[in-house]
Amino acid sequence: MTPLSLLLIVSSLWFTLGLFAVLTRRNAILILVGIELMLNAANLNFIAFWRYGPPDPDFTGPLFVLFSIAIAAAEAAVGLAIILMVFRHTRSTDLNRLDSLHG
Amino acid sequence: MTPLLILCPMMILAALGAVWLARPVHAALFLALALALTAVVYLAVGADFIGLVQFMVYVGAVAVLIVFSLLITRPGDEAEELLRRPRSWVTGLACTLPVFAVLVYAASRHTCLPDAAPENPSLSVESFGRVLFTTHAPAVLAVGVLLTAVMIGAALFAKEAHASSHTEPTRKPNTPGDS
């Protein structure tokens, strides 16, 4: 097995585990944990293809990862701020209890 | 290759811990471990700068932010989560296993790349910085604006709503029952 295949399979597994967490968890913060796992799986793919792919003098892979990390940090900050605001109103972060818009 | 053979199983185990464990703080700590291991993988494959950024931003900021949010919100006990698991896990597995199969199939078919391709050289910070601040300077500025907006927005979201509590005392004397 080549290093590229190994990293691609690990990132596939990470993405699947992140998706699984998003689908099965009910705590909003733990859903954010799953989203972070999925984002990191994509970053791992970028680095793996940059390192073991065709020659890339423009550093496209690491550049994507750098911007992706910045966006992910922004997403986590806003997401957690929204969750804290929701918690202040409902005293819960369980998404099953956030049904005030339910008809 | 040898460092990857050691690191990859650890990464998988750490991600499994983040998904499997019912106690939220333990899951968040396993996420921090998984992110730190990713940073080590980046260092091992030669992307030193990205590895350090990953370590500082993800482990130093995002993971700590998640742990602090869990401490502030005091999530309930894990008994309810454990009770709900069998049904939700069946649904989750039914949705995610096809995704995993497609991803592994796609990963095993990268025929455009020869197996014995020469590796790219390690990431030189000097040349990376030159590309970042010349060719991609507008993108760096855009990310700077985005992060500033996010910082202000997150502070506004997380701030206590004082405005409504200030207006309430002025309204009270007008209510009929007060006089």
Side-chain angles (χ1 to χ4, degrees):
Chain A
M1 181 182 276
T2 60
L4 178 60
S5 307
L6 184 65
L7 287 177
L8 290 185
I9 286 174
V10 169
S11 84
S12 307
L13 198 59
W14 266 41
F15 188 89
T16 312
L17 285 172
L19 184 64
F20 183 77
V22 169
L23 290 176
T24 57
R25 294 280 198 181
R26 288 294 168 267
N27 186 330
I29 299 176
L30 294 180
I31 287 177
L32 211 61
V33 166
I35 293 173
E36 296 296 337
L37 277 180
M38 288 198 282
L39 277 167
N40 266 276
N43 288 351
L44 198 61
N45 268 358
F46 277 123
I47 290 293
F49 276 115
W50 162 76
R51 179 67 167 158
Y52 300 107
D56 177 24
D58 297 330
F59 305 113
T60 316
L63 276 170
F64 257 105
V65 174
L66 191 64
F67 288 123
S68 164
I69 288 176
I71 305 278
E75 166 256 331
V78 171
L80 288 172
I82 291 174
I83 291 170
L84 286 184
M85 196 171 66
V86 168
F87 174 76
R88 200 173 295 136
H89 283 283
T90 63
R91 311 306 298 172
S92 169
T93 53
D94 190 338
L95 293 186
N96 278 355
R97 293 184 190 161
L98 303 181
D99 56 356
S100 54
L101 286 179
H102 194 274
Chain B
M1 183 68 184
T2 314
L4 289 184
L5 285 177
I6 300 168
L7 286 167
C8 286
M10 292 169 69
M11 287 170 69
I12 293 171
L13 287 178
L16 271 175
V19 174
W20 184 281
L21 291 176
R23 195 175 285 247
V25 176
H26 290 175
L29 291 177
F30 266 91
L31 172 78
L33 176 64
L35 297 175
L37 286 171
T38 317
V40 177
V41 165
Y42 292 165
L43 293 173
V45 300
D48 298 348
F49 181 68
I50 299 296
L52 291 175
V53 168
Q54 165 91 9
F55 206 83
M56 284 189 284
V57 175
Y58 265 117
V59 185
V62 173
V64 172
L65 202 62
I66 288 175
V67 171
F68 269 102
S69 301
L70 284 171
L71 295 181
I72 290 172
T73 55
R74 295 191 306 272
D77 62 342
E78 57 268 21
E80 197 180 346
E81 163 94 14
L82 289 173
L83 277 178
R84 205 166 33 204
R85 266 190 176 177
R87 208 178 60 186
S88 67
W89 278 34
V90 169
T91 318
L93 282 176
C95 294
T96 52
L97 282 181
V99 175
F100 182 61
V102 170
L103 287 175
V104 169
Y105 175 69
S108 63
R109 283 190 73 248
H110 53 85
T111 51
C112 57
L113 302 172
D115 278 348
E119 294 178 1
N120 275 315
S122 294
L123 187 68
S124 147
V125 176
E126 186 188 351
S127 44
F128 184 69
R130 191 171 294 123
V131 170
L132 189 63
F133 287 106
T134 54
T135 319
H136 299 280
V140 173
L141 290 176
V143 167
V145 172
L146 172 84
L147 288 177
T148 311
V150 161
M151 197 173 62
I152 296 169
L156 284 177
F157 272 142
K159 205 167 69 116
E160 291 277 353
H162 287 300
S164 58
S165 58
H166 282 312
T167 53
E168 273 174 10
T170 56
R171 277 189 210 142
K172 270 182 185 172
N174 296 334
T175 51
D178 279 351
S179 60

